[in-house]
Amino acid sequence: MREIHVIGLASDGKFIVCADPSGEKFRLPADEKLRAAARGDAARLGQIEIEMDSLMRPREIQARIRSGASIEQVAKESGMPASKIERYAHPVLLERSRAAELAQQGHPVRPDGPAVMTLLEIVTQAFRGRGHTMESAEWDAWRDEDGHWIAQLTWPAGRHVNTAHWRFQPDAHGGSVTPLDDAASELVDPDFGRQLRGLAPVAAVQDAPSQQTLDDYYGVDSDSDREDAAVLDAAAAPAPSEDEPADTDTADDTAEDASDRAPRPKPAPAHPAAKDKRGKPSMPSWEDVLLGVRSNGR
């Protein structure tokens, strides 16, 4: 191994000019690796070697993890072993976990304003109403392209895995969360899943019994009923033909017989006038005036 010494800096400032004892000149790129070696920074030198071996730098790895990618995804994209990526991904994963915890304490934004309850409390009630448990749910968060934190909730439902997403905006009052899909909107909707009020079929209203009249009470027919019956009998009788004269005498006899057979109203029984203890006639009650009899039987 030959020894070389520094002569100076190239005119463009990107290379360092060196020479060996024989006078042969060499040049070295003035990069970060040379500066770390000149400072004796072995840790930085090893990090630079990893960056040179892979297609992704540590900042790029952390940016991919912060945007929601997993360690396995980044390892597959970069071709680096997962153990080396974990070194840069660990602080970013802690940042994502903290953002997910803060999003759970945020207040969902509804059409009438932010809710009083937190996102975690509302989702817990919704899960209880649907028969799910929070133990099987997982929270996560990442930053989107605009720099906003996106909170994600995943939970199993039968053979499927459901996901819901909210945009989290931190503030001094715990922050606010805005649903980004239908699943997130349904979980924070207070009216979603609420059972409607049941409607039972209404039974048919039975006809009220007709009020008993005085004629029904005494068992007689009124004059109007007898007239209607006579009209119906006359209509049912065959009309006389033009050749044969109508037998008026027979029709008159029939009407007289029908009127004789009709039951006559029974006269009300006569009762002696009642008197009170002082010997004066007592006043009749309203029932006596209406029915024409005395209810006391005197």
Side-chain angles (χ1 to χ4, degrees):
M1 181 181 296
R2 290 181 297 177
E3 294 183 1
I4 58 175
H5 58 279
V6 178
I7 296 178
L9 189 64
S11 59
D12 58 0
K14 297 181 179 180
F15 296 94
I16 296 177
V17 181
C18 302
D20 60 1
S22 63
E24 185 178 1
K25 294 182 178 181
F26 304 90
R27 68 177 188 177
L28 297 173
D31 54 8
E32 185 66 23
K33 187 175 182 181
L34 180 60
R35 297 187 183 94
R39 294 193 305 265
D41 190 353
R44 176 57 181 164
L45 187 61
Q47 183 177 0
I48 294 174
E49 291 179 355
I50 294 176
E51 294 177 3
M52 295 179 62
D53 294 339
S54 62
L55 299 178
M56 299 182 64
R57 297 183 178 182
R59 290 184 180 179
E60 296 177 351
I61 294 174
Q62 291 183 347
R64 291 285 295 120
I65 297 296
R66 188 175 287 106
S67 63
S70 62
I71 295 177
E72 292 75 12
Q73 292 176 347
V74 176
K76 185 177 180 180
E77 294 175 1
S78 62
M80 298 172 57
S83 58
K84 292 183 178 181
I85 294 179
E86 289 179 355
R87 184 186 309 174
Y88 309 107
H90 181 69
V92 182
L93 292 177
L94 293 178
E95 181 182 0
R96 289 173 52 178
S97 177
R98 179 56 180 169
E101 293 178 357
L102 293 177
Q104 297 178 43
Q105 303 303 321
H107 301 274
V109 177
R110 293 172 176 170
D112 56 349
V116 178
M117 302 175 63
T118 63
L119 177 61
L120 179 60
E121 295 173 346
I122 294 176
V123 171
T124 302
Q125 290 184 358
F127 269 39
R128 188 181 299 111
R130 298 183 181 186
H132 304 311
T133 57
M134 292 300 300
E135 288 75 9
S136 59
E138 296 182 0
W139 291 91
D140 195 2
W142 67 82
R143 284 188 180 272
D144 59 3
E145 298 177 355
D146 299 332
H148 298 99
W149 281 106
I150 305 299
Q152 173 182 278
L153 175 65
T154 59
W155 72 95
R159 298 182 179 180
H160 302 278
V161 177
N162 297 332
T163 58
H165 301 88
W166 295 269
R167 179 184 291 111
F168 173 57
Q169 185 66 34
D171 55 28
H173 302 284
S176 60
V177 289
T178 305
L180 299 178
D181 47 32
D182 294 340
S185 301
E186 293 172 357
L187 287 176
V188 299
D189 186 2
D191 297 329
F192 181 79
R194 180 179 296 177
Q195 296 182 356
L196 299 177
R197 181 180 298 176
L199 298 178
V202 179
V205 179
Q206 297 180 356
D207 296 337
S210 59
Q211 186 175 2
Q212 189 178 16
T213 62
L214 293 176
D215 296 333
D216 297 336
Y217 178 78
Y218 288 106
V220 298
D221 296 335
S222 61
D223 297 339
S224 60
D225 294 340
R226 290 195 298 269
E227 292 176 358
D228 294 340
V231 172
L232 293 177
D233 293 341
S241 61
E242 297 179 356
D243 298 339
E244 298 178 0
D247 191 358
T248 56
D249 298 337
T250 306
D252 296 338
D253 296 340
T254 304
E256 293 178 358
D257 295 340
S259 60
D260 295 338
R261 289 194 302 269
R264 303 292 183 178
K266 297 179 181 180
H271 299 283
K275 297 183 180 180
D276 55 6
K277 296 181 179 180
R278 293 175 297 178
K280 296 182 179 181
S282 61
M283 292 296 294
S285 64
W286 175 250
E287 295 179 355
D288 299 340
V289 176
L290 179 63
L291 300 180
V293 296
R294 293 186 178 274
S295 59
N296 55 9
R298 294 182 181 181

